[in-house]
Amino acid sequence: MVGGGQLARMTHEAGIPLGIRFKLLCDGPQDSAAQVVQDVVIGNYRDLETLREFAKGCDVVTFDHEHVPTEHLRALEAEGVVIRPGPEALLRAQDKGAMRDALTAIGVPCPRHRIVADPADVAAFAAETGAAARSASDEDGGGRRAGGFPVVLKTVRGGYDGKGVWVVHDTEEAGEPFKAGVPVLAEEKVDFVRELAANVVRSPHGQAVAYPVVESIQVDGVCDTVIAPAPELSAELSARAQQLALTIARELGVVGHLAVELFETRDGRILVNELAMRPHNSGHWTQDGAVTSQFANHLRAVLDLPLGDPRPRARWTVMANVLGGDYPDMYHAYLHCMARDPGLKIHMYGKDVKPGRKVGHVNTYGDDLADVRERARHAADYLRGTITE
């Protein structure tokens, strides 16, 4: 696996009972996964020769992030290295412009969008989306936002956890994203009720499984809480979201885990926001809440093993991210949470604690959603130091 973060750490953990030998390419020995994986290569994933040496002896190469240069992956694949997901599929998670083009080509509903050249072009896009939204509102009797500013701007590569994303309200604010010197994608700001995620896994021979659709609650652009399944989501909309994710996986040739982040709009539609072709924060609940976790199924898929059962073990599972706070020593908070709630599942990443940094997550499950949510929220807040009782 290329990348040494918590996703690699948890994927390695899932491979241990399957007897999978795991090799890691990461930045340094203190990376989250490097602390627990035996076979670690320290190197630069942006360097082709480093990747080439790392791939020797591997049955398959997979990833815990989308940042390996596409041209390097194509070169390795041409030399016979098995890469899953492959570079042509992964490009659609690496490049937001390529993602939107591919999804539009296969008829997947997305926010209105286009690549913009400068702030004046952003203003023109805002005017276009405003006119289109007003026309649609007239046709369906109202209910859609008027459009125009504000507009969402995204750098086409490199963004995550709210980084590389701006909500701009006028032409002056639109100048900031262009300072990076990379292409910028403009999207309409969707009037949505909530964010959902559909997680699916697909193997090379076409077997695929779909997890229950979840609600993903974001705070300051970072995933805070995930509820599985999404409360009060109709069976029809849930099935539509799962089928949409399965269709994307098939049409884009994805092998492994695919997370499809979605907007549920106020007028009852679902629109695709982002794609991730790797284990994903919205699937962390599966470690304790599903028969087979996203991490185990990702490994099964990239090794072309039969996929495991994605069904939930409990009526409700809630995942809450643990973010670093002002207290770097979490040990006593850790003891408190374990003693207070023996059913709590705590997953820590071995990271230095820094304010706002993801350092772990907690999973809770049960039959009473209000109780399950309160337990998860209390544990995450106590570990961060937001509450002290």
Side-chain angles (χ1 to χ4, degrees), residues 287-288 318 341-347 361-365 375:
Q287 283 178 299
D288 305 297
V318 173
D341 187 352
L344 179 71
K345 301 296 184 180
I346 303 176
H347 301 269
H361 68 271
V362 296
N363 287 331
T364 55
Y365 48 86
R375 289 167 53 209

Side-chain angles (χ1 to χ4, degrees), residues 3-328:
Q6 63 263 26
L7 300 180
R9 181 185 179 109
M10 291 183 280
T11 304
H12 167 257
E13 178 187 4
I16 292 172
L18 296 175
I20 295 170
R21 294 177 61 191
F22 205 82
K23 186 177 180 181
L24 188 72
L25 176 63
C26 64
D27 294 332
Q30 292 308 308
D31 284 3
S32 179
Q35 298 173 31
V36 297
V37 175
Q38 182 179 14
D39 191 355
V40 176
V41 175
I42 306 300
N44 184 358
Y45 64 81
R46 299 177 185 87
D47 179 69
L48 178 56
E49 285 305 315
T50 299
L51 290 166
R52 187 174 280 132
E53 283 299 312
F54 171 73
K56 289 181 178 178
C58 294
D59 295 299
V60 62
V61 174
T62 190
F63 314 91
D64 92 333
H65 60 72
E66 292 95 356
H67 306 313
V68 180
T70 311
E71 62 271 19
H72 292 354
L73 298 180
R74 287 171 175 155
L76 292 175
E77 191 173 62
E79 294 167 9
V81 177
V82 179
I83 297 172
R84 291 173 177 160
E88 301 313 313
L90 194 62
L91 175 63
R92 274 69 184 189
Q94 295 174 317
D95 187 306
K96 293 179 176 63
M99 175 193 71
R100 287 290 181 232
D101 288 345
L103 294 180
T104 300
I106 61 176
V108 170
C110 297
R112 298 180 184 91
H113 62 275
R114 69 174 170 84
I115 300 293
V116 287
D118 52 36
D121 202 13
V122 175
F125 171 80
E128 294 165 11
T129 57
R134 285 190 294 274
S135 175
S137 180
D138 290 342
E139 290 175 5
D140 65 16
R144 298 190 183 185
R145 66 185 285 275
F149 282 110
V151 166
V152 179
L153 299 180
K154 302 177 179 180
T155 52
V156 296
R157 284 183 179 251
Y160 65 97
D161 284 349
K163 297 178 177 65
V165 178
W166 296 261
V167 178
V168 300
H169 298 81
D170 53 39
T171 307
E172 184 176 350
E173 288 185 0
E176 183 65 26
F178 295 94
K179 294 179 181 179
V182 297
V184 174
L185 177 72
E187 296 182 348
E188 67 172 316
K189 190 174 186 299
V190 176
D191 185 23
F192 61 90
V193 177
R194 57 178 170 175
E195 294 187 57
L196 305 172
N199 290 280
V200 299
V201 184
R202 181 177 178 271
S203 69
H205 68 273
Q207 184 188 12
V209 297
Y211 289 94
V213 178
V214 301
E215 179 176 353
S216 177
I217 300 169
Q218 313 289 313
V219 177
D220 296 328
V222 178
C223 179
D224 180 81
T225 305
V226 171
I227 305 173
E232 300 180 6
L233 183 66
S234 70
E236 186 274 333
L237 204 59
S238 176
R240 193 190 313 169
Q242 288 178 311
Q243 187 57 58
L244 189 64
L246 290 167
T247 298
I248 293 169
R250 182 186 69 245
E251 293 298 318
L252 299 189
V254 177
V255 172
H257 182 270
L258 170 68
V260 180
E261 298 180 68
L262 302 159
F263 294 125
E264 180 184 359
T265 67
R266 295 190 186 281
D267 54 2
R269 298 172 296 146
I270 50 174
L271 302 175
V272 172
N273 180 24
E274 301 278 2
L275 302 180
M277 298 179 191
R278 51 169 172 75
H280 190 257
N281 207 167
S282 64
H284 288 359
W285 70 273
T286 63
Q287 283 178 299
D288 305 297
V291 176
T292 310
S293 75
Q294 64 164 345
F295 303 102
N297 261 338
H298 180 75
L299 284 175
R300 290 184 184 212
V302 299
L303 291 167
D304 208 10
L305 302 172
L307 300 182
D309 191 340
R311 288 179 298 176
R313 293 180 181 271
R315 176 70 183 92
W316 300 103
T317 302
V318 173
M319 187 281 314
N321 276 322
V322 177
L323 302 181
D326 296 327
Y327 304 100

